[in-house]
Amino acid sequence: MATLISSTRSRAVKNSLAKWLITFGGISVLFTLVLIFLYLLYVVMPIFESAKIEPAVNISINLPANEKVLATGVDELQELVYQITDTGTIHFYHLTASAEHANNQFSVGDKALSRSLFASDAFNQEQVISVVNSFSADKLLHTRSGKTLLVQPSFHAIYANDTREIIAKVNYPLGQKSLRIDEQQAQLPHLAFALDDERMVFVAFTEDKRLIKTSFIADDEFGSDSAGDDVDYEINYQQIDLPDAIVNSGVDEIKVTPDLSLAFVRTGSTVWVYSLKDDDEVSLKATITPILSSEDTYLTSMALLSGSSSVLLGDSSGHVSQWFEVATDSGRQFKQIRSFNANDDSQKQTSTAITAIYTERFRKSFYTMTTSGLVNVFYTTSSAHLWQGQLASSQPAAFAIAPRANGLIINGNDPLDINKQNLQTFSVHNEHPEVTWQALWQEVWYEGYPEPDYIWQSSSGSDDFEAKFSLVPISFGTIKAALYAMLFAVPVALSAAIYTAYFMTPSLRKKVKPTIEMMEALPTVILGFLAGLWLAPLMEEYLPAIFMLFLLLPLVTLLTAFSWYKLPNKVKDKFPETLAPIILIPVIILTTYAAFSLSPLLEAMLFNGDMRQYLTNDLGINFDQRNALVVGIAMGFAVIPTIFTMAEDAIFSVPGHLTSGSLALGATQWQTLVGVVLLTASPGIFSAVMMGLGRAVGETMIVLMATGNTPILDWSIFQGMRTLAANIAVEMPEAEVGSSHYRILFLAAFVLFIFTFIFNTAAEIVRQRLREKYSSM
């Protein structure tokens, strides 16, 4: 009795311990899933945060009498800011100095450098009337008498006694001599330029109404770090033929693209686009005439986006339009792609003219300024209005964006003292302007594309690259790969499961079932390797044979079964029952051999000797060697064991009394299979299919090695795809931590997580309903 009581207590303790261990394990799994979900959200959420602009430093500056600020700028670390004035002077200021020393913080580095940068005999201390900026740090100073000098404020850090100091320096890429832009030395009211290592192009409108192009071609390279030494170069002067509209009305603004290929000349509300590629002749390429909102509306400003493709046009109604070249049936034409509204949201009935557009150096963001000092921030690719606010009380004298686009510098008059200037800096938090729901999930019109499209292209060798982060192609690729894999795997796996569980002899089943289950342990990287390097080239070479096999194998299988059925019983009795299905093996081998042997002959007869070329040239079907057909077969083999095992167990587990009862009532084996066995096992079969689908959706290595990784939207079996899982595996090692690319890859992981969650949830709901429906059988 004591032994029985002790045994009962021991069993109770074990049961209780098992219960708590199982409960703890289940809760741990759920908790882990929740943590993964929350971590993905934690990484992804910053890409949807709005831009922020906050005041940083405000310095009141005493400038010499009648000295006017024309341009400003800052170093990458935002520790030194500079001002260029109309006296040809540059002043540097320490932004990190304490407030009580703010008024005395100019004169950084060489004293003479900070007071009179351009005190050369060639420049003669003349009044500077304009400072022209390029996309680089170069500044072009132009005087009233037509003299021009190119300078480049630069900064370098020195380290001493565990401290860092930023030192300012001024370079002269073309030397300190005045540049002769116009051969006739006329004054240049409007001037633009761009340069690379070996060439510099100026386009200017002269006071006597001539449009000119001047090219400086270096014998070797322009010395951007030159301290003022003379630079050898050749000068080429050209005069551009002008339409009467420009001659009569004059020029309002000129821009030259950073790649030196185009010049945009704005006159009134028309923009004339000139091609600068030909060194001998400048030709009119196109005209841009925006459709303005009313007759009283006119163009007020123009700017170029980074990348040499888009021009931005601002008008008096507070709108900005983006234009770039688009390929059409009649050739390449400039089209308006997007429009942005820069009016004050709080005063919807008031339109404010845009006085200036400022673009970032490396991204597609731009800032607009109005006469009232209202600033708007936009990003073109995502069509995002990022920020709006009042940074100044009026149009500032100078405005600049920090090199890393994380700060702004504004120079304006001090409202309390007309003899003082306010130098204000602002910190900009705008890390992910290219990411919006529209850019991720809708068609976007990218520069250089003929129409809006879904594109994933996250990187390029060019700094002017326009990132394309549409998740549609890779989400589509995930569904496409899973669909073709299931089309191949489900019929094979379910047919094998039905035959093994219902028709196969027990002795043969004991050998077949473990063999197929062992296939699940085969590393998918091996399958991907074989698919990409062996199967794909084989299918390309014997493409007719592959299609013949899809027709011949089912047909030969049915003919073999029918022939076996028609054999006399005395013949069939001579073969053991376990050997009956093995008869198919030599038949399948011979059929496969025949298909591959006949493939060249069939290809020569029907497809002019090359089926791939026939598909491409005659039918217009693109063919990639690593395509959806290869993925469907390779990934189907990976999914088959999963579906087979679960479906076979479900069918084999159908109670014997149900099948016996059906047969006893006169039903045939096939009627029993369809009307009783499959219905009873349907919850398990459906679960098997959905488990296989989940495996296919999350598969990485096979699609990575066998698809070509082309993120396109195409259902064709001859085209590849890129899946979410493969995309993450390929690009995550190269993504900069914290960048938009990095966080969007986590978003792709989140989307994959949602996909599998939806599939599994739907599968469980359907399985439960099927179970409730057929549980009473």
Side-chain angles (χ1 to χ4, degrees):
M1 185 67 179
T3 303
L4 181 60
I5 294 173
S6 176
S7 176
T8 303
R9 289 177 178 174
S10 176
R11 191 183 304 114
V13 171
K14 291 178 181 178
N15 289 341
S16 178
L17 181 61
K19 174 185 175 182
W20 284 108
L21 286 175
I22 293 171
T23 303
F24 176 76
I27 293 174
S28 299
V29 170
L30 293 175
F31 183 69
T32 303
L33 290 174
V34 171
L35 283 181
I36 294 173
F37 183 83
L38 293 177
Y39 180 72
L40 290 175
L41 283 179
Y42 168 76
V43 178
V44 168
M45 286 304 294
I47 64 178
F48 297 109
E49 292 179 355
S50 300
K52 296 179 182 178
I53 299 180
E54 300 172 343
V57 178
N58 190 345
I59 304 171
S60 184
I61 302 168
N62 289 309
L63 287 178
N66 300 321
E67 191 168 354
K68 180 182 177 183
V69 176
L70 297 179
T72 187
V74 70
D75 71 298
E76 284 193 356
L77 300 178
Q78 298 187 57
E79 294 186 12
L80 286 182
V81 66
Y82 64 86
Q83 295 176 326
I84 300 177
T85 69
D86 60 349
T87 61
T89 304
I90 186 168
H91 302 291
F92 290 90
Y93 301 89
H94 278 293
L95 295 178
T96 55
S98 58
E100 58 268 22
H101 296 100
N103 292 332
N104 300 315
Q105 57 183 330
F106 91 111
S107 300
V108 174
D110 188 338
K111 294 284 186 180
L113 187 69
S114 62
R115 291 197 301 269
S116 183
L117 274 174
F118 318 115
S120 63
D121 293 338
F123 216 63
N124 290 330
Q125 295 288 320
E126 296 182 27
Q127 184 183 18
V128 178
I129 60 172
S130 65
V131 176
V132 183
N133 299 317
S134 71
F135 269 90
S136 59
D138 302 287
K139 309 288 182 182
L140 191 69
L141 279 73
H142 185 62
T143 68
R144 189 172 298 280
S145 64
K147 293 182 178 179
T148 305
L149 184 67
L150 183 68
V151 299
Q152 185 186 77
S154 63
F155 306 88
H156 68 278
I158 60 173
Y159 298 87
N161 301 323
D162 297 328
T163 60
R164 182 190 64 202
E165 183 179 1
I166 304 296
I167 302 299
K169 181 182 178 183
V170 176
N171 300 322
Y172 300 85
L174 274 70
Q176 287 201 59
K177 289 185 178 180
S178 173
L179 305 176
R180 188 175 179 181
I181 306 301
D182 180 25
E183 198 170 16
Q184 301 178 21
Q185 293 186 320
Q187 186 177 331
L188 308 177
H190 299 284
L191 174 65
F193 78 101
L195 77 162
D196 55 25
D197 292 338
E198 299 178 352
R199 194 162 170 259
M200 185 172 184
V201 173
F202 296 87
V203 177
F205 187 70
T206 65
E207 197 171 30
D208 53 0
K209 296 187 177 182
R210 291 177 293 113
L211 188 64
I212 61 171
K213 172 197 172 187
T214 304
S215 301
F216 288 69
I217 305 170
D219 292 341
D220 186 12
E221 274 192 11
F222 290 128
S224 61
D225 58 347
S226 172
D229 300 332
D230 292 338
V231 179
D232 294 328
Y233 49 79
E234 176 188 345
I235 307 178
N236 181 22
Y237 295 102
Q238 295 173 264
Q239 183 165 331
I240 304 173
D241 293 334
L242 292 177
D244 293 338
I246 296 182
V247 176
N248 295 332
S249 62
V251 168
D252 296 311
E253 206 168 354
I254 302 175
K255 299 292 181 183
V256 176
T257 57
D259 63 355
L260 317 181
S261 63
L262 296 175
F264 295 85
V265 180
R266 181 173 69 84
T267 170
S269 293
T270 302
V271 177
W272 308 83
V273 185
Y274 289 90
S275 174
L276 306 179
K277 293 182 179 180
D278 191 344
D279 290 334
D280 298 326
E281 183 181 358
V282 178
S283 58
L284 181 63
K285 183 181 180 70
T287 57
I288 300 174
T289 307
I291 300 176
L292 302 174
S293 58
S294 67
E295 294 181 357
D296 298 331
T297 305
Y298 54 91
L299 293 183
T300 56
S301 56
M302 178 173 67
L304 298 178
L305 277 179
S306 66
S308 306
S309 296
S310 292
V311 60
L312 301 173
L313 303 177
D315 60 37
S316 58
S317 67
H319 291 82
V320 178
S321 57
Q322 179 190 3
W323 298 71
F324 58 73
E325 276 190 295
V326 174
T328 65
D329 295 337
S330 57
R332 298 185 65 83
Q333 298 179 355
F334 277 87
K335 285 190 175 183
Q336 180 175 334
I337 307 302
R338 300 178 183 90
S339 180
F340 305 89
N341 185 1
N343 288 307
D344 192 344
D345 293 338
S346 62
Q347 300 178 9
K348 296 184 179 180
Q349 303 300 320
T350 303
S351 296
T352 307
I354 293 174
T355 55
I357 302 174
Y358 307 95
T359 58
E360 292 184 6
R361 182 175 175 183
F362 298 113
R363 300 191 303 188
K364 305 295 181 180
S365 297
F366 68 93
Y367 294 70
T368 63
M369 179 70 70
T370 66
T371 52
S372 62
L374 180 69
V375 174
N376 285 270
V377 188
F378 300 94
Y379 194 87
T380 55
T381 305
S382 58
S383 301
H385 189 177
L386 302 171
W387 188 85
Q388 183 181 78
Q390 199 81 28
L391 297 184
S393 58
S394 61
Q395 171 75 35
F399 181 101
I401 303 171
R404 296 182 181 178
N406 58 351
L408 300 175
I409 305 92
I410 294 179
N411 281 98
N413 294 322
D414 191 328
L416 301 179
D417 189 342
I418 60 173
N419 295 320
K420 288 185 178 181
Q421 286 269 328
N422 264 355
L423 190 154
Q424 295 176 280
T425 68
F426 298 85
S427 62
V428 178
H429 304 277
N430 186 24
E431 298 296 325
H432 314 287
E434 62 270 61
V435 184
T436 61
W437 283 111
Q438 178 182 351
L440 292 172
W441 298 107
Q442 295 182 20
E443 290 180 314
V444 176
W445 202 332
Y446 299 102
E447 292 177 348
Y449 283 73
E451 59 186 6
D453 204 351
Y454 301 104
I455 304 292
W456 174 275
Q457 187 183 0
S458 57
S459 61
S460 169
S462 169
D463 289 337
D464 301 325
F465 172 69
E466 183 178 23
K468 304 165 183 65
F469 289 127
S470 176
L471 291 178
V472 174
I474 53 178
S475 300
F476 174 85
T478 302
I479 297 172
K480 178 181 176 181
L483 174 63
Y484 284 117
M486 297 301 287
L487 286 176
F488 177 79
V490 169
V492 175
L494 292 185
S495 299
I498 291 170
Y499 183 82
T500 304
Y502 191 69
F503 295 103
M504 190 173 285
T505 60
S507 58
L508 188 58
R509 178 178 178 271
K510 290 179 181 179
K511 297 181 179 63
V512 171
K513 190 172 188 294
T515 302
I516 297 178
E517 289 175 343
M518 286 178 61
M519 290 173 55
E520 196 164 10
L522 187 67
T524 55
V525 67
I526 301 298
L527 291 174
F529 177 81
L530 292 174
L533 299 183
W534 172 74
L535 181 60
L538 182 70
M539 291 178 61
E540 181 183 20
E541 185 177 357
Y542 295 97
L543 197 56
I546 302 302
F547 286 96
M548 285 168 52
L549 286 176
F550 280 112
L551 296 174
L552 291 178
L553 287 179
L555 182 61
V556 168
T557 301
L558 290 175
L559 288 175
T560 304
F562 183 75
S563 300
W564 176 262
Y565 175 74
K566 287 298 184 179
L567 282 175
N569 289 333
K570 56 175 73 173
V571 176
K572 289 191 286 188
D573 291 341
K574 294 180 180 180
F575 294 92
E577 191 176 356
T578 55
L579 294 179
I582 299 178
I583 296 175
L584 278 174
I585 295 177
V587 173
I588 291 174
I589 293 174
L590 288 173
T591 303
T592 303
Y593 177 78
F596 277 88
S597 299
L598 294 173
S599 180
L601 179 61
L602 187 65
E603 198 167 25
M605 291 175 57
L606 301 179
F607 307 110
N608 299 322
D610 193 331
M611 185 175 178
R612 174 177 177 176
Q613 291 298 324
Y614 177 82
L615 291 173
T616 303
N617 298 333
D618 295 9
L619 301 183
I621 301 174
N622 293 326
F623 184 95
D624 289 336
Q625 186 186 78
R626 301 182 182 187
N627 51 49
L629 187 60
V630 176
V631 173
I633 295 173
M635 196 153 69
F637 273 107
V639 173
I640 282 173
T642 301
I643 301 175
F644 169 83
T645 300
M646 296 183 65
E648 201 275 344
D649 287 339
I651 295 170
F652 190 77
S653 300
V654 173
H657 68 270
L658 294 178
T659 57
S660 299
S662 175
L663 293 171
L665 292 172
T668 63
Q669 277 193 317
W670 281 103
Q671 289 173 331
T672 302
L673 173 66
V674 174
V676 178
V677 176
L678 293 183
L679 290 179
T680 306
S682 58
I685 294 174
F686 186 80
S687 295
V689 173
M690 295 307 293
M691 285 293 292
L693 179 60
R695 167 78 185 274
V697 167
E699 178 56 46
T700 303
M701 294 311 300
I702 294 177
V703 292
L704 183 63
M705 303 175 73
T707 63
N709 279 314
T710 50
I712 58 176
L713 288 167
D714 194 335
W715 283 110
S716 172
I717 61 174
F718 301 117
Q719 289 285 291
M721 77 287 289
R722 177 179 289 193
T723 66
L724 290 164
N727 190 65
I728 294 168
V730 169
E731 300 194 5
M732 185 59 78
E734 301 176 356
E736 178 188 355
V737 176
S739 65
S740 297
H741 182 205
Y742 176 84
R743 297 186 187 278
I744 289 175
L745 290 177
F746 272 85
L747 179 60
F750 183 78
V751 172
L752 185 60
F753 186 93
I754 296 298
F755 271 13
T756 55
F757 178 79
I758 292 173
F759 289 148
N760 291 335
T761 302
E764 184 62 22
I765 292 172
V766 174
R767 190 185 70 84
Q768 288 292 342
R769 291 186 177 181
L770 290 174
R771 189 173 183 180
E772 292 172 1
K773 183 175 181 179
Y774 298 110
S775 61
S776 59
M777 293 182 65

mmCIF file of all heavy atoms in Angstrom, residues 692-720:
data_model
loop_
_atom_site.group_PDB
_atom_site.id
_atom_site.type_symbol
_atom_site.label_atom_id
_atom_site.label_comp_id
_atom_site.label_asym_id
_atom_site.label_seq_id
_atom_site.Cartn_x
_atom_site.Cartn_y
_atom_site.Cartn_z
ATOM 1 N N GLY A 692 3.834 23.540 -45.977
ATOM 2 C CA GLY A 692 4.706 23.608 -47.141
ATOM 3 C C GLY A 692 4.772 25.003 -47.726
ATOM 4 O O GLY A 692 5.849 25.478 -48.136
ATOM 5 N N LEU A 693 3.619 25.707 -47.750
ATOM 6 C CA LEU A 693 3.596 27.076 -48.252
ATOM 7 C C LEU A 693 4.438 27.992 -47.367
ATOM 8 O O LEU A 693 5.196 28.835 -47.865
ATOM 9 C CB LEU A 693 2.155 27.575 -48.319
ATOM 10 C CG LEU A 693 1.962 29.018 -48.799
ATOM 11 C CD1 LEU A 693 2.509 29.189 -50.215
ATOM 12 C CD2 LEU A 693 0.495 29.410 -48.749
ATOM 13 N N GLY A 694 4.315 27.815 -46.045
ATOM 14 C CA GLY A 694 5.133 28.613 -45.132
ATOM 15 C C GLY A 694 6.614 28.364 -45.343
ATOM 16 O O GLY A 694 7.430 29.291 -45.297
ATOM 17 N N ARG A 695 6.966 27.107 -45.584
ATOM 18 C CA ARG A 695 8.366 26.774 -45.865
ATOM 19 C C ARG A 695 8.825 27.438 -47.165
ATOM 20 O O ARG A 695 9.943 27.973 -47.251
ATOM 21 C CB ARG A 695 8.499 25.253 -45.969
ATOM 22 C CG ARG A 695 9.817 24.739 -46.549
ATOM 23 C CD ARG A 695 10.930 24.783 -45.528
ATOM 24 N NE ARG A 695 12.192 24.405 -46.124
ATOM 25 C CZ ARG A 695 12.624 23.143 -46.257
ATOM 26 N NH1 ARG A 695 11.868 22.136 -45.831
ATOM 27 N NH2 ARG A 695 13.801 22.895 -46.788
ATOM 28 N N ALA A 696 7.966 27.441 -48.181
ATOM 29 C CA ALA A 696 8.329 28.039 -49.463
ATOM 30 C C ALA A 696 8.465 29.558 -49.359
ATOM 31 O O ALA A 696 9.360 30.158 -49.962
ATOM 32 C CB ALA A 696 7.285 27.683 -50.518
ATOM 33 N N VAL A 697 7.572 30.203 -48.599
ATOM 34 C CA VAL A 697 7.629 31.652 -48.449
ATOM 35 C C VAL A 697 8.915 32.082 -47.755
ATOM 36 O O VAL A 697 9.531 33.089 -48.125
ATOM 37 C CB VAL A 697 6.394 32.159 -47.669
ATOM 38 C CG1 VAL A 697 6.580 33.602 -47.227
ATOM 39 C CG2 VAL A 697 5.145 32.032 -48.523
ATOM 40 N N GLY A 698 9.344 31.322 -46.777
ATOM 41 C CA GLY A 698 10.533 31.699 -46.023
ATOM 42 C C GLY A 698 11.833 31.157 -46.574
ATOM 43 O O GLY A 698 12.897 31.423 -45.997
ATOM 44 N N GLU A 699 11.808 30.402 -47.675
ATOM 45 C CA GLU A 699 13.016 29.802 -48.225
ATOM 46 C C GLU A 699 13.989 30.881 -48.699
ATOM 47 O O GLU A 699 13.593 31.866 -49.316
ATOM 48 C CB GLU A 699 12.658 28.864 -49.382
ATOM 49 C CG GLU A 699 13.851 28.229 -50.041
ATOM 50 C CD GLU A 699 14.735 27.474 -49.061
ATOM 51 O OE1 GLU A 699 14.203 26.705 -48.234
ATOM 52 O OE2 GLU A 699 15.956 27.688 -49.112
ATOM 53 N N THR A 700 15.268 30.683 -48.414
ATOM 54 C CA THR A 700 16.280 31.685 -48.737
ATOM 55 C C THR A 700 17.298 31.188 -49.756
ATOM 56 O O THR A 700 17.466 31.759 -50.828
ATOM 57 C CB THR A 700 17.012 32.140 -47.459
ATOM 58 O OG1 THR A 700 16.070 32.645 -46.523
ATOM 59 C CG2 THR A 700 18.042 33.212 -47.776
ATOM 60 N N MET A 701 18.001 30.098 -49.424
ATOM 61 C CA MET A 701 19.174 29.720 -50.206
ATOM 62 C C MET A 701 18.826 29.271 -51.626
ATOM 63 O O MET A 701 19.561 29.572 -52.568
ATOM 64 C CB MET A 701 19.951 28.621 -49.485
ATOM 65 C CG MET A 701 20.570 29.070 -48.177
ATOM 66 S SD MET A 701 21.516 30.623 -48.314
ATOM 67 C CE MET A 701 22.759 30.172 -49.514
ATOM 68 N N ILE A 702 17.736 28.551 -51.792
ATOM 69 C CA ILE A 702 17.404 28.070 -53.136
ATOM 70 C C ILE A 702 17.086 29.243 -54.052
ATOM 71 O O ILE A 702 17.619 29.340 -55.168
ATOM 72 C CB ILE A 702 16.231 27.076 -53.075
ATOM 73 C CG1 ILE A 702 16.655 25.808 -52.334
ATOM 74 C CG2 ILE A 702 15.751 26.736 -54.475
ATOM 75 C CD1 ILE A 702 15.550 24.805 -52.152
ATOM 76 N N VAL A 703 16.219 30.158 -53.600
ATOM 77 C CA VAL A 703 15.871 31.295 -54.447
ATOM 78 C C VAL A 703 17.060 32.244 -54.607
ATOM 79 O O VAL A 703 17.193 32.936 -55.618
ATOM 80 C CB VAL A 703 14.648 32.052 -53.883
ATOM 81 C CG1 VAL A 703 13.411 31.211 -53.991
ATOM 82 C CG2 VAL A 703 14.862 32.471 -52.448
ATOM 83 N N LEU A 704 17.936 32.272 -53.613
ATOM 84 C CA LEU A 704 19.118 33.128 -53.701
ATOM 85 C C LEU A 704 20.053 32.664 -54.805
ATOM 86 O O LEU A 704 20.642 33.466 -55.536
ATOM 87 C CB LEU A 704 19.852 33.129 -52.362
ATOM 88 C CG LEU A 704 21.078 34.031 -52.225
ATOM 89 C CD1 LEU A 704 20.684 35.481 -52.378
ATOM 90 C CD2 LEU A 704 21.761 33.796 -50.890
ATOM 91 N N MET A 705 20.186 31.332 -54.980
ATOM 92 C CA MET A 705 21.154 30.780 -55.921
ATOM 93 C C MET A 705 20.550 30.401 -57.264
ATOM 94 O O MET A 705 21.292 30.177 -58.231
ATOM 95 C CB MET A 705 21.818 29.546 -55.294
ATOM 96 C CG MET A 705 22.493 29.839 -53.964
ATOM 97 S SD MET A 705 23.139 28.376 -53.157
ATOM 98 C CE MET A 705 24.554 28.020 -54.189
ATOM 99 N N ALA A 706 19.241 30.304 -57.352
ATOM 100 C CA ALA A 706 18.635 29.766 -58.570
ATOM 101 C C ALA A 706 17.706 30.725 -59.295
ATOM 102 O O ALA A 706 17.094 30.343 -60.285
ATOM 103 C CB ALA A 706 17.864 28.486 -58.229
ATOM 104 N N THR A 707 17.570 31.973 -58.825
ATOM 105 C CA THR A 707 16.600 32.877 -59.444
ATOM 106 C C THR A 707 17.221 34.000 -60.254
ATOM 107 O O THR A 707 16.525 34.664 -61.011
ATOM 108 C CB THR A 707 15.714 33.537 -58.370
ATOM 109 O OG1 THR A 707 16.546 34.341 -57.528
ATOM 110 C CG2 THR A 707 14.994 32.502 -57.549
ATOM 111 N N GLY A 708 18.499 34.269 -60.081
ATOM 112 C CA GLY A 708 19.086 35.435 -60.727
ATOM 113 C C GLY A 708 18.877 36.717 -59.957
ATOM 114 O O GLY A 708 19.448 37.749 -60.280
ATOM 115 N N ASN A 709 18.021 36.674 -58.909
ATOM 116 C CA ASN A 709 17.793 37.819 -58.022
ATOM 117 C C ASN A 709 17.419 39.087 -58.786
ATOM 118 O O ASN A 709 17.997 40.157 -58.586
ATOM 119 C CB ASN A 709 19.019 38.074 -57.152
ATOM 120 C CG ASN A 709 19.071 37.155 -55.966
ATOM 121 O OD1 ASN A 709 18.077 36.959 -55.278
ATOM 122 N ND2 ASN A 709 20.219 36.554 -55.729
ATOM 123 N N THR A 710 16.461 38.987 -59.671
ATOM 124 C CA THR A 710 15.979 40.139 -60.422
ATOM 125 C C THR A 710 14.645 40.597 -59.845
ATOM 126 O O THR A 710 13.643 39.886 -59.967
ATOM 127 C CB THR A 710 15.798 39.780 -61.904
ATOM 128 O OG1 THR A 710 15.029 38.575 -61.999
ATOM 129 C CG2 THR A 710 17.137 39.563 -62.567
ATOM 130 N N PRO A 711 14.595 41.756 -59.201
ATOM 131 C CA PRO A 711 13.340 42.222 -58.584
ATOM 132 C C PRO A 711 12.392 42.813 -59.605
ATOM 133 O O PRO A 711 12.306 44.033 -59.784
ATOM 134 C CB PRO A 711 13.828 43.273 -57.580
ATOM 135 C CG PRO A 711 15.103 43.773 -58.153
ATOM 136 C CD PRO A 711 15.726 42.650 -58.920
ATOM 137 N N ILE A 712 11.668 41.954 -60.309
ATOM 138 C CA ILE A 712 10.758 42.401 -61.359
ATOM 139 C C ILE A 712 9.364 41.858 -61.096
ATOM 140 O O ILE A 712 9.187 40.873 -60.379
ATOM 141 C CB ILE A 712 11.245 41.960 -62.751
ATOM 142 C CG1 ILE A 712 11.393 40.432 -62.801
ATOM 143 C CG2 ILE A 712 12.559 42.634 -63.105
ATOM 144 C CD1 ILE A 712 11.769 39.895 -64.157
ATOM 145 N N LEU A 713 8.385 42.518 -61.708
ATOM 146 C CA LEU A 713 6.994 42.085 -61.626
ATOM 147 C C LEU A 713 6.635 41.371 -62.926
ATOM 148 O O LEU A 713 6.304 42.021 -63.925
ATOM 149 C CB LEU A 713 6.073 43.289 -61.411
ATOM 150 C CG LEU A 713 6.115 43.944 -60.035
ATOM 151 C CD1 LEU A 713 5.407 45.289 -60.066
ATOM 152 C CD2 LEU A 713 5.490 43.060 -58.993
ATOM 153 N N ASP A 714 6.730 40.059 -62.929
ATOM 154 C CA ASP A 714 6.476 39.291 -64.140
ATOM 155 C C ASP A 714 6.126 37.872 -63.736
ATOM 156 O O ASP A 714 6.898 37.195 -63.057
ATOM 157 C CB ASP A 714 7.714 39.296 -65.043
ATOM 158 C CG ASP A 714 7.396 38.805 -66.446
ATOM 159 O OD1 ASP A 714 6.421 38.043 -66.604
ATOM 160 O OD2 ASP A 714 8.112 39.196 -67.383
ATOM 161 N N TRP A 715 4.925 37.391 -64.186
ATOM 162 C CA TRP A 715 4.495 36.032 -63.845
ATOM 163 C C TRP A 715 5.148 34.977 -64.728
ATOM 164 O O TRP A 715 4.943 33.782 -64.520
ATOM 165 C CB TRP A 715 2.974 35.919 -63.985
ATOM 166 C CG TRP A 715 2.210 36.528 -62.859
ATOM 167 C CD1 TRP A 715 1.442 37.651 -62.903
ATOM 168 C CD2 TRP A 715 2.129 36.058 -61.510
ATOM 169 N NE1 TRP A 715 0.891 37.919 -61.669
ATOM 170 C CE2 TRP A 715 1.293 36.945 -60.795
ATOM 171 C CE3 TRP A 715 2.687 34.969 -60.825
ATOM 172 C CZ2 TRP A 715 1.003 36.780 -59.455
ATOM 173 C CZ3 TRP A 715 2.400 34.806 -59.485
ATOM 174 C CH2 TRP A 715 1.560 35.708 -58.812
ATOM 175 N N SER A 716 5.903 35.388 -65.732
ATOM 176 C CA SER A 716 6.472 34.443 -66.687
ATOM 177 C C SER A 716 7.335 33.402 -65.985
ATOM 178 O O SER A 716 8.138 33.730 -65.101
ATOM 179 C CB SER A 716 7.320 35.182 -67.724
ATOM 180 O OG SER A 716 8.033 34.266 -68.538
ATOM 181 N N ILE A 717 7.199 32.144 -66.412
ATOM 182 C CA ILE A 717 8.027 31.078 -65.836
ATOM 183 C C ILE A 717 9.462 31.167 -66.327
ATOM 184 O O ILE A 717 10.355 30.513 -65.757
ATOM 185 C CB ILE A 717 7.456 29.687 -66.169
ATOM 186 C CG1 ILE A 717 7.425 29.475 -67.698
ATOM 187 C CG2 ILE A 717 6.096 29.484 -65.554
ATOM 188 C CD1 ILE A 717 7.021 28.083 -68.112
ATOM 189 N N PHE A 718 9.702 31.982 -67.350
ATOM 190 C CA PHE A 718 11.057 32.116 -67.899
ATOM 191 C C PHE A 718 11.802 33.307 -67.318
ATOM 192 O O PHE A 718 12.925 33.587 -67.718
ATOM 193 C CB PHE A 718 11.007 32.235 -69.422
ATOM 194 C CG PHE A 718 10.366 31.063 -70.098
ATOM 195 C CD1 PHE A 718 9.205 31.219 -70.826
ATOM 196 C CD2 PHE A 718 10.924 29.799 -69.989
ATOM 197 C CE1 PHE A 718 8.603 30.137 -71.446
ATOM 198 C CE2 PHE A 718 10.331 28.715 -70.602
ATOM 199 C CZ PHE A 718 9.175 28.878 -71.332
ATOM 200 N N GLN A 719 11.175 34.041 -66.408
ATOM 201 C CA GLN A 719 11.812 35.177 -65.757
ATOM 202 C C GLN A 719 12.100 34.844 -64.305
ATOM 203 O O GLN A 719 11.383 34.066 -63.666
ATOM 204 C CB GLN A 719 10.904 36.405 -65.827
ATOM 205 C CG GLN A 719 10.781 36.995 -67.226
ATOM 206 C CD GLN A 719 12.007 37.763 -67.624
ATOM 207 O OE1 GLN A 719 12.307 38.820 -67.104
ATOM 208 N NE2 GLN A 719 12.750 37.223 -68.582
ATOM 209 N N GLY A 720 13.159 35.454 -63.789
ATOM 210 C CA GLY A 720 13.501 35.235 -62.393
ATOM 211 C C GLY A 720 12.698 36.127 -61.471
ATOM 212 O O GLY A 720 11.720 36.769 -61.867
#
